[in-house]
Amino acid sequence: MTSRVDGPLKVTGRAGYGLDRTLPGMVYGYVVVSTIAHGEIEAMDVTAAKSAPGVVGVYSPFDSLALNPGNFPGFGETWVPLQDREVLYYGQPIGFVVAETFEQARDAAMLVGVSYRPRPALTSLADGLASAEDAPASRGVPSTLSVLAPGVESIEDALAASPVVVEATYSTATQNHAAMEPHSAVAVWEDGVLTVYSGNQGSDLQASELAGSLGLEPAAVHAVNPFVGGAFGGKGRTSTPAFLAAAAARALGRPVKAALTREQVFTATAGRAATVQKIALGAERDGTLVALRHDSWCSTDALRSFVEPTSHGTSREWYATRNLAISQKMVPLNIPQTTFMRAPGEAPGSFALESAIDELALALDMDPIELRQRNNSTAPPGEDLQWSSKHLDECFRVGAAQFGWSGRRPGGRTDGDWLVGLGTATAMFPALRFPATVGITLRDDDTAEVGTSGADPGTGLLTVLSLVGAESLDIAPERIVPRLGDSRLPPGGMSGGSTATASAGTAIMIAAAQAIDELLALASAPGAPFDGQDVLYADGRVLAGGRSMTFGELLRALDRPSLYVTGSSAPGEELTKHSFSSFGAQFCEVRVHKWTREARVSRMLGVFDGGRIINEQAARSQISGGMIWGVSAALHEGLEIEANGRMANADFAGYLLPVNADIPDIGVHFVEYPDTLHNAVGARGLGEIGTVGVAAAVANAIANATGIRVRHIPIMIEDLLEE
């Protein structure tokens, strides 16, 4: 069992997060947000705020900080605050007050008077469906795609010809990342160089975005990202506090610290879109899929910043079918921005697809696992690129045996006053890899530093660097010094998309091979300890002629303190040869009280095929966290947006998250088949797949227990009341 290298720092409170930084002469910023959902700011009266105790600066669209919008490669346009008077959603940042203390800044912000010219606002996805727009292409697939068997004219014809058809509409709620650490930043300028301490999912990406918005060369921005108190996609872009703190620190010539309040986190950041999904499944009476239609709508903000790819993330690939039609539309609303959130597309998409598969199993009077296995895909429908490695059938077999699936009965069972049901669902998440560069420094004290600018937002990447670095350099993990979260380290990209281990790990292997080659060349060079000899490397030592030296001893003999190399890795020709995904089978037992209709998850098991498991303890933790997230989506989590655009539950009292009493012991099992076709490490992503399918498994278990099929999440007590 491998412990996290950052564990002792975190459990003792010695881990320093961005907001923990306190600098001499520092002042504090407080964000002012809008109180309408759509309109124009006519005026802002800042007189009282400017004269309030301790205030050193008040900024608004009428007296703005110098920030430039830009276009960030791979992510689209960069929105920066306070640059115009247009209000697009309730809670939009429209001002910034800076004072000597946080309390002074907060109190002065309450004195800012704002007058608006309101415009009609559209805040409901249901109300906006009629005005939906085609979404842009997602994952290389256009918004509408059909794959039809020869001679079939349309998906409707295929459905009409199917002996058994089920069709239903499903919906999922708006969600917020609700990370423990609010979005925040500390910014300081020195000799024309900006240093920003801010929790983010990629320090080099944050530095680039800040440099563009401030009109600086990238080298003039140093982003430090030591620890991240939760991210899940919500800290992939530079936050409002980071933009404003950086610009205000330049204007004032003093360090600035800024953080969103908990309520502001729900509006001044981006969250998961709400979705509506219509699915139709047609099958032979033996369960073979004939046709699958999946039409999706998702909310997006007025800037159309993100689309939740539900149909494209699930039905496009999950099951073998002769006929497939998917579509994705978006509904622009006056709501906060939408963005990536753990398993974007797959998490809400799997609720719809896997609920529909269960409904088809019921219509066929077939075991839900048997139906899924009968339609196991060897490649995405209509494509020739087969999965590089897929053991989903084994996941279901192992899971069914461990969970006692053979004891499942139609209609569930009773246990005193509780109705008990079992549910299952497939989980898939694409196995991706991002470009990454890792630097390795061999030191004369026989330690090795392994560093990249990426982040560890709680995933255990620091420990992965230690383990893969140690394996690649053939030394003990304790001799590795892992480094992350600094834009001056080699560019490691974003810690997101369940890519970090495969991306950084492959780069480590390349860098380690380079380091060893250069070490051997030094060892056998003229005048070196192994001058002219054929040298080998093993166990952290250089060997030749019956003697050996550690690499530290060799460097000391050469009067060199260190040897530094970099290695880079990126997706390559493997993408033209195979399709790549991680796979899993989710199992859930739910108890519904006969009289109160309270639903409680009592048992969970997830069995996953994620390639090679580098650190089983961390992998189990990631999967368990994802499964808890799925329970949260199924039974607790949903933002309620009022007609005026205000979030009705923008706090941890009304925005429900599961607590310990809501979650049983979670079983996690891995079927381990290293996937070296995907990357040299053999590991595939695990951070997000744990969430996928759980909400459907919960809904399927509730249906098994009660006979009530709920087609939206979160599922509430009132949904389970019998008429």
Side-chain angles (χ1 to χ4, degrees), residues 34-46:
S34 67
T35 55
I36 66 168
H38 191 207
E40 183 180 358
I41 302 171
E42 286 188 321
M44 292 182 70
D45 184 354
V46 298

Side-chain angles (χ1 to χ4, degrees), residues 487-504:
S487 63
R488 290 180 177 169
L489 293 170
M494 179 186 294
S495 182
S498 300
T499 63
T501 296
S503 303

Side-chain angles (χ1 to χ4, degrees), residues 36-42 84-89 116-123 334 643-645:
I36 66 168
H38 191 207
E40 183 180 358
I41 302 171
E42 286 188 321
D84 58 55
R85 294 180 292 162
E86 192 78 9
V87 175
L88 299 176
Y89 58 91
Y116 302 97
R117 182 180 295 113
R119 300 191 187 111
L122 182 61
T123 60
N334 296 112
N644 67 354

Side-chain angles (χ1 to χ4, degrees), residues 186-275:
V186 173
V188 59
W189 292 77
E190 188 173 3
D191 298 327
V193 174
L194 167 67
T195 300
V196 173
Y197 304 90
S198 178
N200 188 271
Q201 290 175 245
S203 56
D204 62 311
L205 304 180
Q206 184 180 44
S208 296
E209 205 161 24
L210 282 168
S213 68
L214 294 163
L216 301 172
E217 293 296 322
V221 179
H222 182 200
V224 182
N225 182 27
F227 293 96
V228 186
F232 320 113
K235 293 176 182 172
R237 303 295 297 270
T238 301
S239 67
T240 289
F243 282 125
L244 294 177
R250 178 165 64 176
L252 296 169
R254 298 176 66 176
V256 175
K257 176 183 288 191
L260 297 178
T261 66
R262 179 56 61 190
E263 184 176 3
Q264 288 173 345
V265 166
F266 285 91
T267 64
T269 66
R272 195 195 297 277
T275 76

Side-chain angles (χ1 to χ4, degrees), residues 57 191 223 278 288 325 335 346 356 371 382 398 442 468-469 597 632 712 717:
D191 298 327
K278 294 184 178 181
T288 303
I335 60 172
E346 283 78 10
L371 176 61
V398 170
L442 301 181
V468 178
R597 312 310 283 180
S632 185
H712 64 260
I717 286 176

Side-chain angles (χ1 to χ4, degrees), residues 147-518:
V147 177
L148 300 175
V152 177
E153 295 294 327
S154 69
I155 192 69
E156 301 307 327
D157 288 347
L159 288 167
S162 300
V164 180
V165 176
V166 297
E167 186 169 5
T169 299
Y170 306 85
S171 62
T172 65
T174 302
Q175 296 176 345
N176 186 270
H177 301 82
M180 289 186 293
E181 176 196 26
H183 297 63
S184 57
V186 173
V188 59
W189 292 77
E190 188 173 3
D191 298 327
V193 174
L194 167 67
T195 300
V196 173
Y197 304 90
S198 178
N200 188 271
Q201 290 175 245
S203 56
D204 62 311
L205 304 180
Q206 184 180 44
S208 296
E209 205 161 24
L210 282 168
S213 68
L214 294 163
L216 301 172
E217 293 296 322
V221 179
H222 182 200
V224 182
N225 182 27
F227 293 96
V228 186
F232 320 113
K235 293 176 182 172
R237 303 295 297 270
T238 301
S239 67
T240 289
F243 282 125
L244 294 177
R250 178 165 64 176
L252 296 169
R254 298 176 66 176
V256 175
K257 176 183 288 191
L260 297 178
T261 66
R262 179 56 61 190
E263 184 176 3
Q264 288 173 345
V265 166
F266 285 91
T267 64
T269 66
R272 195 195 297 277
T275 76
V276 172
Q277 303 172 61
K278 294 184 178 181
I279 293 184
L281 300 175
E284 304 286 1
R285 297 199 180 278
D286 67 357
T288 303
L289 279 177
V290 175
L292 193 168
R293 188 188 70 219
H294 190 164
D295 298 315
S296 296
W297 294 259
C298 74
S299 59
T300 189
D301 57 283
L303 297 177
R304 298 158 175 79
S305 58
F306 183 78
V307 172
E308 189 81 21
T310 44
S311 54
H312 289 54
T314 53
S315 295
R316 172 70 188 92
E317 298 183 336
W318 284 26
Y319 291 107
T321 180
R322 298 195 292 270
N323 301 280
L324 171 72
I326 61 174
S327 70
Q328 181 72 60
K329 292 182 179 293
M330 60 182 178
V331 179
L333 301 174
N334 296 112
I335 60 172
Q337 292 183 353
T338 56
T339 192
F340 306 96
M341 185 167 169
R342 198 171 196 167
E346 283 78 10
S350 64
F351 169 69
L353 177 60
E354 290 303 289
S355 295
I357 289 289
D358 247 51
E359 295 202 57
L360 178 60
L362 183 63
L364 292 166
D365 193 23
M366 179 178 289
D367 182 88
I369 292 180
E370 181 183 350
L371 176 61
R372 288 173 169 86
Q373 292 179 320
R374 185 175 294 273
N375 294 287
N376 186 25
S377 67
T378 57
E383 292 189 8
D384 296 327
L385 299 182
Q386 293 194 342
W387 302 112
S388 58
S389 175
K390 183 179 184 181
H391 301 275
L392 180 58
D393 278 358
E394 183 174 343
C395 292
F396 273 112
R397 286 197 302 272
V398 170
Q402 290 189 8
F403 203 67
W405 185 260
S406 61
R408 177 185 182 273
R409 298 290 180 267
R413 64 182 178 87
T414 59
D415 182 9
D417 284 342
W418 294 89
L419 308 175
V420 185
L422 302 185
T424 190
T426 295
M428 286 177 59
F429 193 79
L432 305 173
R433 199 153 59 91
F434 290 162
T437 301
V438 170
I440 290 182
T441 303
L442 301 181
R443 296 173 173 168
D444 63 4
D445 63 356
D446 280 313
T447 63
E449 179 182 293
V450 179
T452 184
S453 67
D456 188 343
T459 55
L461 183 57
L462 276 168
T463 309
V464 167
L465 296 188
S466 293
L467 294 174
V468 178
E471 179 181 270
S472 302
L473 291 170
D474 202 9
I475 61 177
E478 294 77 20
R479 290 167 59 188
I480 297 292
V481 179
R483 289 192 63 201
L484 285 168
D486 190 319
S487 63
R488 290 180 177 169
L489 293 170
M494 179 186 294
S495 182
S498 300
T499 63
T501 296
S503 303
T506 306
I508 289 170
M509 295 179 70
I510 293 169
Q514 177 71 15
I516 292 169
D517 287 345
E518 293 196 18

